[in-house]
Amino acid sequence: MFKRAVGRKREMALVGAGLIVAVGGVFVMADTETDDGESDGFSGKSSGPFYNPQLRDWADGMCESRASLRALRVDSLKQADRLRGKAGEPASEQASGSVASSYLLSAAKALDNISREFGAVDSLTRIPDTERLRAAYVREIDRVRPEVGELSDAEGLARLSARERIGRAERVTSLVAAIKEPSPSFDELAQTNGLFESAANSPGCVAIRAAERERSEPTPTPKPPPLPAADGTSVAACADGACEVRVTKPATRIKVRDLTLEVDRNDTEVTVRHSYPSGGAVRVNLSGEGARGTFGRGGGTIVTVELKGINTGNAVLGINSSS
C-alpha cells in the first residue's frame, strides 16, 4: 500500500495530472518526482495496486443484486417441487394452496427489492458495458414484475380456491425462470475483459461467492456415537466363551473357545459364518436387534450370537457358549 492515504480529491487530481494510471480496473501510482528532483513519497516502485473505488462499488452492488436474483430462482425451483409434492406424487391440494400463497407474496416482494437493488447500482458512464449490464437486468426484471404483482395481489388471493392459487404460483415460477441473463453476461465479460475480471474479484464479489459455495456444499452427516458394549472392541474377550463386543470393521474374526466365527458387518446387517473342519458351514444373517444365531454341534462347543444393537459403523454382539 502507499505510504500515506490518498483522499478522493487528491486521487482525482492525480488522475487529472496523469499520476495515477488505470490498469485493468485498478489504479496504480506512476513513478513521479517533485520539482527539486526528489520523490514525492508516492513512488510506484514501492506501492501496490488499489481498486478504483467507483468500479469496486459498482462490482459489489452488481454481485449483491445478482446473488439476490439467484436466490429467488433457487427458491422458485424448490417451491415448484413442493407444489408438485414429494417424489412426483401430488401433495394435498389444501397444503399446496397454502404453499402457493406464501410463495406468491414472497416472490412479488423479492422481485420489487431486486429491481430496486439493480436500480441503485451507480453506472460508470465511461465503461459502457457496466451500464448495459445493469440496465439489462432492470429491464428483464421489470418485464415480469407487473404480472407477478397482479398474480400475487393479497386481496385477490383470499378469494381464490387452493387450485387457483396453485395455478398462479406455477405461473410465477415460470416467469422467474424466464428472466434472462444479459449477453454477454457479467461472468462472460470477466473471462475476456481485464476490467471486468478485476471487478469480479472485488472484496464484495469474492465474499458473496464464498458464502454461496458454503451454502451449496452438503452438510456432512454426523457419525452416530459408538454403541455401548461391556468389552468394547476387544474381540479377545470372547476367547473364554462369553463377551459383549462392538464390531466396527467390515470383516472380523472372533475366536470363541474352539470355534472361530467370521463376522461381516454393514450399516444394517451382520452376517456370522462358521466353517467346520470336516466340511460344511453355517451362515446366519442378523438384521434386527435381538436376532440370534447358534453355531456348533452336539457334543462340542455351542455358541449363541445375539445382535444387541446396530447403526452406521457399529454393531454390538452378545456372545455366549456352552458345552
Side-chain angles (χ1 to χ4, degrees), residues 293-305:
T294 301
F295 306 86
R297 289 176 176 171
T301 301
I302 303 296
V303 175
T304 300
V305 180

Side-chain angles (χ1 to χ4, degrees), residues 162-176:
R163 171 43 48 192
E164 289 171 318
R165 295 197 299 273
I166 293 169
R168 288 193 176 197
E170 290 173 341
R171 171 59 181 165
V172 170
T173 61
S174 66
L175 288 171
V176 171

Side-chain angles (χ1 to χ4, degrees), residues 32-211:
T32 61
E33 294 184 351
T34 58
D35 290 341
D36 58 8
E38 295 183 0
S39 170
D40 67 353
F42 288 92
S43 170
K45 295 177 182 178
S46 61
S47 315
F50 68 93
Y51 276 95
N52 174 335
Q54 288 182 315
L55 181 60
R56 178 201 61 210
D57 292 347
W58 177 86
D60 288 353
M62 285 292 290
C63 285
E64 289 169 7
S65 303
R66 293 170 69 231
S68 297
L69 181 57
R70 285 194 296 271
L72 175 60
R73 285 171 169 158
V74 170
D75 181 62
S76 293
L77 290 173
K78 290 180 180 178
Q79 298 306 329
D81 289 340
R82 290 184 67 189
L83 292 170
R84 288 191 294 267
K86 295 181 179 179
E89 297 178 1
S92 72
E93 191 165 272
Q94 193 62 35
S96 292
S98 178
V99 169
S101 295
S102 298
Y103 168 69
L104 285 166
L105 295 172
S106 64
K109 183 177 180 181
L111 273 178
D112 288 343
N113 289 338
I114 295 168
S115 179
R116 282 194 292 270
E117 287 179 20
F118 276 112
V121 176
D122 289 335
S123 61
L124 302 177
T125 56
R126 294 186 180 181
I127 310 173
D129 272 328
T130 60
E131 175 56 19
R132 178 190 63 79
L133 282 169
R134 186 199 67 81
Y137 275 112
V138 173
R139 282 195 306 272
E140 270 295 287
I141 293 166
D142 288 352
R143 177 178 62 81
V144 304
R145 200 157 58 94
E147 184 176 353
V148 172
E150 291 178 7
L151 294 170
S152 306
D153 175 64
E155 293 184 6
L157 289 176
R159 298 190 296 269
L160 298 177
S161 67
R163 171 43 48 192
E164 289 171 318
R165 295 197 299 273
I166 293 169
R168 288 193 176 197
E170 290 173 341
R171 171 59 181 165
V172 170
T173 61
S174 66
L175 288 171
V176 171
I179 295 175
K180 298 177 182 177
E181 289 285 330
S183 181
S185 67
F186 186 110
D187 294 332
E188 289 169 339
L189 286 167
Q191 295 175 2
T192 59
N193 185 308
L195 190 75
F196 281 90
E197 180 182 4
S198 296
N201 287 293
S202 71
C205 292
V206 170
I208 287 168
R209 288 197 298 273

Side-chain angles (χ1 to χ4, degrees), residues 178-250:
I179 295 175
K180 298 177 182 177
E181 289 285 330
S183 181
S185 67
F186 186 110
D187 294 332
E188 289 169 339
L189 286 167
Q191 295 175 2
T192 59
N193 185 308
L195 190 75
F196 281 90
E197 180 182 4
S198 296
N201 287 293
S202 71
C205 292
V206 170
I208 287 168
R209 288 197 298 273
E212 288 180 332
R213 280 195 303 270
E214 184 176 347
R215 286 194 297 270
S216 66
E217 291 174 356
T219 303
T221 303
K223 292 183 178 180
L227 297 170
D231 295 303
T233 58
S234 177
V235 296
C238 301
D240 64 1
C243 63
E244 184 182 81
V245 293
R246 183 172 63 253
V247 176
T248 58
K249 296 178 180 179

